[in-house]
Amino acid sequence: MVQGCSAESLTRIENRDLKRLLTISLALSLAACNGDAVFQPLTNDDFAAALNVDLDAMTQTASGLYWQDLEVGAGDEAVVGATVKVQYEGWLANGTLFDTSRDTGFPFSFQLGAGFVIEGWDEGVVGMRVGGIRKLVIPPGLAYGQSGRGSIPGNATLVFDVELEEIVP
C-alpha cells in the first residue's frame, strides 16, 4: 500500500484513472474515424441485380460479413490454419468485376487465418467444404477500408463467389 493512502482513496484514484483511460480511448477511436465514412446498413438495393445478392437469405456474422452457401461441398471442411485452393470472382457492389482467378486457369492458394488475405476471406472461407461455392458480401472494414486498393475505391463493399477446390495436406 502507498504510504499515507487508504484502500478507499486508492480505489477512487484507480476508478478515476480508468475513466480517463476509457474517455481517451473513445476520443481516439472517434478521431480515427473519417467523418465522411458513415456506414448505413446494407440493403439488397445496394447491389447490382446481376450479383444475385439476397441479404435476407444470407448469414450475417458479428463482424458484419454476410455469407451464403450456393453449393455445399461434400469434401473436407476448411479450418483456420489450413492451406486452401480456391477459384473466385470479385465484384464491386455496382456489378463491376475487379478480379478473378478463373482468367489465370490456376486456383488461388492461401493459409486460412494467417492474414495473407483480407479479413473477410479469412472469416468467410472457414467452414466451407471442398467442392462448395460460397457468396461473400464483405464490408469495407473487412476488406480494404477507407483507402481502397487498385481499382477498388475506398469504403467499398465487395462481393465474391468463392469455390473451394482443395485443402492442401
Side-chain angles (χ1 to χ4, degrees):
M1 180 171 303
V2 178
Q3 189 175 12
C5 291
S6 69
E8 182 180 324
S9 65
L10 283 175
T11 301
R12 279 195 302 259
I13 291 169
E14 290 170 1
N15 286 341
R16 183 185 68 220
D17 290 341
L18 182 60
K19 287 178 185 177
R20 283 184 185 160
L21 180 61
L22 289 172
T23 301
I24 291 168
S25 295
L26 178 61
L28 289 173
S29 296
L30 291 173
C33 293
N34 179 346
D36 298 332
V38 177
F39 297 105
Q40 300 297 322
L42 295 173
T43 69
N44 291 332
D45 293 335
D46 293 325
F47 301 93
L51 296 177
N52 296 314
V53 170
D54 181 0
L55 297 174
D56 297 327
M58 300 180 89
T59 299
Q60 183 181 21
T61 68
S63 68
L65 172 78
Y66 285 88
W67 65 270
Q68 178 184 20
D69 283 327
L70 304 177
E71 290 182 31
V72 177
D76 291 338
E77 183 176 333
V79 296
V80 171
T83 297
V84 297
K85 290 185 178 183
V86 300
Q87 293 282 359
Y88 69 91
E89 296 91 19
W91 297 273
L92 300 177
N94 67 8
T96 301
L97 180 70
F98 64 83
D99 194 14
T100 179
S101 64
R102 299 215 182 262
D103 288 347
T104 69
F106 298 100
F108 175 69
S109 179
F110 68 99
Q111 183 181 7
L112 273 173
F116 295 125
V117 293
I118 59 175
E119 291 178 49
W121 269 46
D122 268 340
E123 181 180 350
V125 174
V126 170
M128 288 184 72
R129 293 195 169 276
V130 172
I133 300 173
R134 183 172 284 181
K135 184 175 292 291
L136 303 175
V137 174
I138 304 177
L142 299 176
Y144 297 105
Q146 294 178 6
S147 59
R149 182 173 180 184
S151 62
I152 301 169
N155 298 321
T157 297
L158 307 179
V159 179
F160 287 93
D161 283 348
V162 180
E163 179 179 1
L164 179 56
E165 290 193 343
E166 183 181 351
I167 297 174
V168 180

